[in-house]
Amino acid sequence: MIDISHLSQTFNTPDGKTVHAVKDVSLHINKGEIFGIIGRSGAGKSTLVRTINFLTKPTEGTVKVNDQCLNDLNDDQLRALRAKIGMIFQHFNLLSSRTVFDNIALPLELHNTPKEEIERKVNHLIDLVGLSAHKNKHPRQLSGGQKQRVGIARALANDPVILLSDEATSALDPETTRSTLDLLLKINQTLGVTIVLITHEMEVVKQICDRVVVMDQGQIVESGTVLEVFRHPRHPTTRAMLADVVVHDMPERIYNTVRDRIKACADKGRFAKLLRLTFVGSEVTLPVLSIITRRFEVDFNILQGQVEELKGTSFGMLTILAECPDTENYQSALNFLKDNQVEYEEVDL
């Protein structure tokens, strides 16, 4: 669907410096998926997404959409392609003098769509985004969430195959953000539109994305399915951005207490190890620890735990101290975890 290959983007500042906003980025986005691009402010994510429709032409590298190389298209061809790539903005970009209906109708008017067709399509889109009672209002009469729904409907006016969302929820409160993301998920599922979501919030990625890349200083530092990235964050930037959503680390004083406990167990001839377990889906409700305690004489001290939802799938994480008579019992317990699709990681101290 979208192929970006070895893309770099540099800008020259007024004082003569060169800024490398994007550095040698390559990625593939599948048709029909919701793809997240996450990073802190200045990471290069917005610059990257603007190359997908060539609003920003890259300094180096290529962009292909449906096997069309945008580098090879002339201005007329680019305009035709952009008509099939909708864009949602952080600050809505609505025309204050136009009603909800007229704001949504604008892209159709620019393409000389017949009036009857405009009437039909705009009313359908107003219905889709839940604004039927507000169609004749002006932007000043709408809440932030309602304005963003107008922006989404406008982006859908020309039946796009791709929807680019650049920080579309960052100006909204948490409840409005959730409802806006639910709407985007509905659009993806009912219309089959591929959505590229730019954000600096892992909460947004967690709610609707299928796959995600993490950007830092213009480069992709981590990529994978949302579950993979949440389960095994490798890069410090990813771990830092996940900290408010999934707690991977504990305070140092707790680690010190665990070290002392492991040493005390060793002095008594027992075995102890700090483990991090992750559960997905039905595994979350499986009483594996109770079974292991009874079957293998392993005692558990739960130090940290939580359950989250990743696009409707339960995801749980536990940090535990496991104590048992010997390494044989411990290995049997690990084998049981593996047999029941519970992933474990031995935490180095």
Side-chain angles (χ1 to χ4, degrees), residues 59-122:
T59 308
E60 296 178 15
T62 60
V63 179
K64 290 183 178 180
V65 176
N66 281 340
D67 294 324
Q68 272 191 302
C69 184
L70 274 60
N71 305 62
D72 300 333
L73 302 184
N74 61 37
D75 289 345
D76 288 339
Q77 290 169 324
L78 277 174
R79 277 192 290 272
L81 181 135
R82 286 178 187 139
K84 293 301 179 183
I85 303 177
M87 196 156 189
I88 312 167
F89 303 93
Q90 176 181 356
H91 297 297
F92 321 128
N93 291 6
L94 303 181
L95 297 176
S96 60
S97 61
R98 296 175 71 104
T99 64
V100 167
F101 183 99
D102 292 334
N103 265 284
I104 298 170
L106 182 60
L108 297 169
E109 293 171 5
L110 294 175
H111 281 82
N112 298 314
T113 306
K115 187 175 180 180
E116 297 78 13
E117 180 70 3
I118 291 176
E119 186 82 19
R120 184 189 66 79
K121 289 191 76 171
V122 173

Side-chain angles (χ1 to χ4, degrees), residues 29 31 36 95 146 242:
I29 299 172
K31 181 179 179 179
L95 297 176
Q146 289 167 341
L242 275 170

Side-chain angles (χ1 to χ4, degrees), residues 141 189 300:
Q141 299 171 284
Q189 293 174 339
F300 293 106

Side-chain angles (χ1 to χ4, degrees), residues 277 279 283-294 296 300 318 333 336-337 340-342:
L277 311 182
F279 309 74
E283 303 161 21
V284 171
T285 58
L286 189 66
V288 290
L289 299 188
S290 297
I291 296 171
I292 289 173
T293 297
R294 293 193 302 269
F296 306 112
F300 293 106
L318 283 178
F336 182 84
L337 290 172
N340 285 277
Q341 289 77 52
V342 177

Side-chain angles (χ1 to χ4, degrees), residues 58-305:
T59 308
E60 296 178 15
T62 60
V63 179
K64 290 183 178 180
V65 176
N66 281 340
D67 294 324
Q68 272 191 302
C69 184
L70 274 60
N71 305 62
D72 300 333
L73 302 184
N74 61 37
D75 289 345
D76 288 339
Q77 290 169 324
L78 277 174
R79 277 192 290 272
L81 181 135
R82 286 178 187 139
K84 293 301 179 183
I85 303 177
M87 196 156 189
I88 312 167
F89 303 93
Q90 176 181 356
H91 297 297
F92 321 128
N93 291 6
L94 303 181
L95 297 176
S96 60
S97 61
R98 296 175 71 104
T99 64
V100 167
F101 183 99
D102 292 334
N103 265 284
I104 298 170
L106 182 60
L108 297 169
E109 293 171 5
L110 294 175
H111 281 82
N112 298 314
T113 306
K115 187 175 180 180
E116 297 78 13
E117 180 70 3
I118 291 176
E119 186 82 19
R120 184 189 66 79
K121 289 191 76 171
V122 173
N123 282 324
H124 169 71
L125 289 170
I126 287 174
D127 223 23
L128 178 68
V129 301
L131 291 177
S132 297
H134 307 282
K135 64 183 289 185
N136 295 317
K137 291 183 179 179
H138 288 79
R140 65 179 179 276
Q141 299 171 284
L142 304 176
S143 67
Q146 289 167 341
K147 290 176 185 176
Q148 193 54 280
R149 285 172 179 262
V150 177
I152 292 170
R154 181 184 57 191
L156 293 172
N158 283 317
D159 302 315
V161 294
I162 298 169
L163 200 56
L164 306 179
S165 171
D166 191 2
E167 297 281 10
T169 60
S170 62
L172 306 177
D173 62 75
E175 184 178 350
T176 307
T177 292
R178 283 192 294 273
S179 66
T180 302
L181 293 175
D182 286 341
L183 174 59
L184 290 176
L185 183 59
K186 175 185 173 183
I187 289 166
N188 169 258
Q189 293 174 339
T190 57
L191 304 180
V193 177
T194 302
I195 298 177
V196 182
L197 200 71
I198 305 301
T199 184
H200 64 276
E201 300 170 293
M202 275 293 183
E203 281 285 351
V204 171
V205 170
K206 180 185 79 171
Q207 188 167 333
I208 66 168
C209 289
D210 300 300
R211 290 192 300 136
V212 62
V213 296
V214 182
M215 291 192 70
D216 185 46
Q217 297 182 0
Q219 297 176 301
I220 292 176
V221 296
E222 190 141 13
S223 64
T225 66
V226 173
L227 179 58
E228 289 167 350
V229 170
F230 271 64
R231 214 167 193 176
H232 304 296
R234 305 298 182 192
H235 195 272
T237 297
T238 312
R239 295 178 73 89
M241 298 194 77
L242 275 170
D244 292 334
V245 182
V246 178
V247 181
H248 283 269
D249 295 311
M250 299 182 297
E252 186 60 29
R253 62 180 179 80
I254 296 181
Y255 284 118
N256 290 334
T257 301
V258 171
R259 291 185 190 100
D260 292 342
R261 181 61 187 173
I262 290 175
K263 184 179 182 300
C265 285
D267 292 341
K268 296 176 183 179
R270 287 175 61 82
F271 182 85
K273 195 74 177 180
L274 185 63
L275 293 172
R276 185 178 292 117
L277 311 182
T278 54
F279 309 74
V280 180
S282 60
E283 303 161 21
V284 171
T285 58
L286 189 66
V288 290
L289 299 188
S290 297
I291 296 171
I292 289 173
T293 297
R294 293 193 302 269
R295 191 174 298 180
F296 306 112
E297 300 180 68
V298 179
D299 294 325
F300 293 106
N301 183 7
I302 297 176
L303 304 174
Q304 193 176 71

